[in-house]
Amino acid sequence: MQKLLRCMWGIFGIIYVCAFLTVGKGLNGVKDTENRSRDEINLEGEWKVTDYLASSRRVSNTSFYQQYFGRSIAIRDNRILKSYGSWPDELEEVVSQYRSVSIDSVSSEAYGNEFQMGERWFEKYSGQNMIVVTYNSPMEWGGKLIFFVTEAGEVLCWYDGDIFYMERYKEAVTDLRVKQLYGEWVVKRLVSYQDGWTGRNNLWPNVSYKEENGGFFYPENYIGDVVHIAKNSIEIYEKDRLLDSIRVNGYDFCIEDKYDYQNKRKIHDGLGLTNERILVFKGKKTVENSIILDEEIIIVSESEVIIKIYQGWYLMEKR
């Protein structure tokens, strides 16, 4: 079944494409990059898939696009690493090699028409040009790994017919005081799924979705919710409705090795931080009664932290 689907997708010419890029420091958009050489475009680094933009008509009715939120993509010399592949047997890290890179400037409308992108694509980028960088892979059934840079400098990537925004990994601080945690935090985006999430895509028939493998976890459900962090409690609200709470007796803190912490907590796609050591505050729970909230808080900056909600880790911004 998988081989047949792969052949069909190869015919349509959009083979699990993904992308990533940063433009040189101070660059504002495509017009600034048109006269720059390839060497002046910084392509290497680590990226997080942050938000959904649109889907090609070919997959718009079948794709569960939320499965790509929080995924990590790293570009290296002659190879690309992804924390999540495009097929059911590629749920762990996938490595793709590329032999050449091509860079072009294209009309967003022409590209959108060719691949039958949705209304959101045209509403956002109609009348603009984009820089397209294509990594040409030697895969026998044709793979191209593609990314876009908009005139505003936004980075877009293809992931199996869906289009997402991406951001570079962040550098975290390690000297925050506990009192700076207190306040209201808005859930902005998924950072990582937990280990064991096996996918939820209508392309794969006869799949049994269960709670333990993430079958009932919809990342968008928690985006926009508000988390209150106080000396004696952590609470999450959907508008004015309390979803869950943890009672704590203050917080301990420690500096953790990032890789050990990610493995210990089973953070499948990583935290999206460049540091090798991270600051973690741990609420001292008084009652074991929480349902979806976690008592550990990973520090990114004074205005950003990461916390686990149900089966994923989320970036939150302070109000």
Side-chain angles (χ1 to χ4, degrees), residues 232-235 245-249 284-287 289:
N232 298 314
S233 65
I234 305 172
E235 300 174 332
S245 64
I246 300 175
R247 298 303 164 191
V248 299
N249 183 22
K284 295 181 283 188
K285 296 174 69 172
T286 59
V287 181
N289 62 348

Side-chain angles (χ1 to χ4, degrees), residues 110-280:
Y111 207 94
N113 288 329
E114 179 179 357
F115 292 102
Q116 298 182 309
M117 307 312 301
E119 292 183 5
R120 292 181 64 186
W121 172 274
F122 292 99
E123 289 174 359
K124 182 94 180 195
Y125 299 111
S126 179
Q128 296 189 29
N129 289 327
M130 293 185 176
I131 286 184
V132 180
V133 177
T134 303
Y135 292 90
N136 300 299
S137 169
M139 293 162 48
E140 62 181 13
W141 45 288
K144 290 184 179 179
L145 298 103
I146 302 170
F147 71 82
F148 311 86
V149 183
T150 71
E151 290 184 357
E154 298 163 311
V155 180
L156 308 178
C157 72
W158 276 93
Y159 223 133
D160 214 15
D162 297 312
I163 301 178
F164 299 88
Y165 293 97
M166 300 184 70
E167 292 180 4
R168 279 193 175 275
Y169 274 27
K170 298 173 178 284
E171 181 178 1
V173 302
T174 56
D175 59 354
L176 204 71
R177 294 174 298 169
V178 66
K179 289 185 178 180
Q180 294 172 277
L181 283 179
Y182 301 157
E184 295 185 348
W185 300 80
V186 180
V187 180
K188 301 300 291 186
R189 62 176 173 84
L190 186 73
V191 169
S192 175
Y193 280 86
Q194 70 177 20
D195 283 349
W197 195 87
T198 58
R200 188 179 183 87
N201 195 315
N202 293 333
L203 289 173
W204 319 126
N206 303 318
V207 176
S208 178
Y209 300 115
K210 301 178 181 179
E211 183 174 9
E212 58 266 29
N213 63 20
F216 305 137
F217 177 51
Y218 296 84
E220 283 188 331
N221 285 355
Y222 302 103
I223 293 175
D225 288 355
V226 176
V227 175
H228 295 249
I229 301 177
K231 182 177 180 179
N232 298 314
S233 65
I234 305 172
E235 300 174 332
I236 181 170
Y237 289 84
E238 180 185 22
K239 295 182 179 179
D240 295 327
R241 183 167 69 97
L242 178 65
L243 297 180
D244 195 15
S245 64
I246 300 175
R247 298 303 164 191
V248 299
N249 183 22
Y251 299 82
D252 292 326
F253 70 91
C254 60
I255 301 294
E256 298 257 12
D257 179 273
K258 179 183 66 176
Y259 302 104
D260 289 345
Y261 187 81
Q262 290 175 163
N263 290 333
K264 177 177 63 177
R265 296 303 316 272
K266 299 182 179 180
I267 303 173
H268 183 274
D269 307 286
L271 292 168
L273 303 175
T274 60
N275 310 54
E276 292 193 0
R277 300 182 69 78
I278 56 175
L279 174 60
V280 181

